[in-house]
Amino acid sequence: MSDPFELVESHLSHRGKVRLHGRDHLRAACPACGGKSTNTLSVRRGDNGTVLLKCFKSGCEVETIAHALGLDLSDLFPERDDARPVSKPRRIGLMLPMQAIELIASEAWLTAVAAENLANGYTLTDVDLARLRDASARIQGVYKELHQ
């Protein structure tokens, strides 16, 4: 299989003008939503060789862009060398302890307000319920983060 970035570049070149911005970046017209401007689609080679696609015109999904080029999503990824062990992903974005406490305090306050509203006979809207679910998920996320 050829290099995924070169494959995408080749398919885009057959459709129109491609502007190269170095070895690992190009701009072209998005094949999914059309147009002639070469500023609508950004194509980059990721750190691991994966092709990264971004439509600035309509926010087209990566799968839609790939299919418009006659490609599958798997074509955007380099072949995997099964002999090479897969490294464990780095954990990034860990919260500082004070950030975790502030998040829990904020979400607990929101939960207390909702409980008081219910106790006083108010009905929670769908938006209120969705926000409570988000609060619960955030608190659970902090718990999981601290227990890994």
Side-chain angles (χ1 to χ4, degrees):
M1 179 169 136
S2 64
D3 175 56
F5 184 83
E6 291 174 6
L7 180 66
V8 171
E9 179 185 3
S10 170
H11 278 74
L12 283 168
S13 294
H14 285 82
R15 299 179 66 89
K17 185 177 177 185
V18 171
R19 293 185 311 147
L20 293 173
H21 293 272
R23 230 173 32 109
D24 298 330
H25 182 215
L26 65 86
R27 297 295 290 252
C30 178
C33 60
K36 303 244 188 255
S37 172
T38 57
N39 283 326
T40 58
L41 180 68
S42 174
V43 181
R44 290 186 183 266
R45 183 191 321 262
D47 292 339
N48 63 356
T50 300
V51 174
L52 307 171
L53 303 171
K54 171 74 175 164
C55 172
F56 291 101
K57 180 180 178 190
S58 304
C60 299
E61 297 289 327
V62 172
E63 187 173 17
T64 305
I65 298 168
H67 288 307
L69 289 171
L71 301 172
D72 291 322
L73 279 179
S74 61
D75 294 325
L76 304 179
F77 297 89
E79 282 187 28
R80 216 173 109 187
D81 181 9
D82 290 332
R84 188 182 78 215
V86 177
S87 62
K88 188 175 181 181
R90 289 184 307 138
R91 289 181 64 199
I92 57 173
L94 297 176
M95 280 189 200
L96 297 173
M98 195 61 191
Q99 290 172 318
I101 291 169
E102 287 172 355
L103 184 136
I104 291 171
S106 173
E107 301 300 356
W109 178 82
L110 178 111
T111 305
V113 168
E116 190 166 325
N117 282 344
L118 286 172
N120 290 323
Y122 292 101
T123 302
L124 299 180
T125 67
D126 289 341
V127 172
D128 295 335
L129 291 172
R131 182 59 182 92
L132 279 172
R133 286 187 197 99
D134 287 345
S136 174
R138 287 185 178 114
I139 292 169
Q140 291 172 11
V142 169
Y143 175 80
K144 288 177 184 175
E145 184 71 33
L146 296 175
H147 283 88
Q148 285 187 1

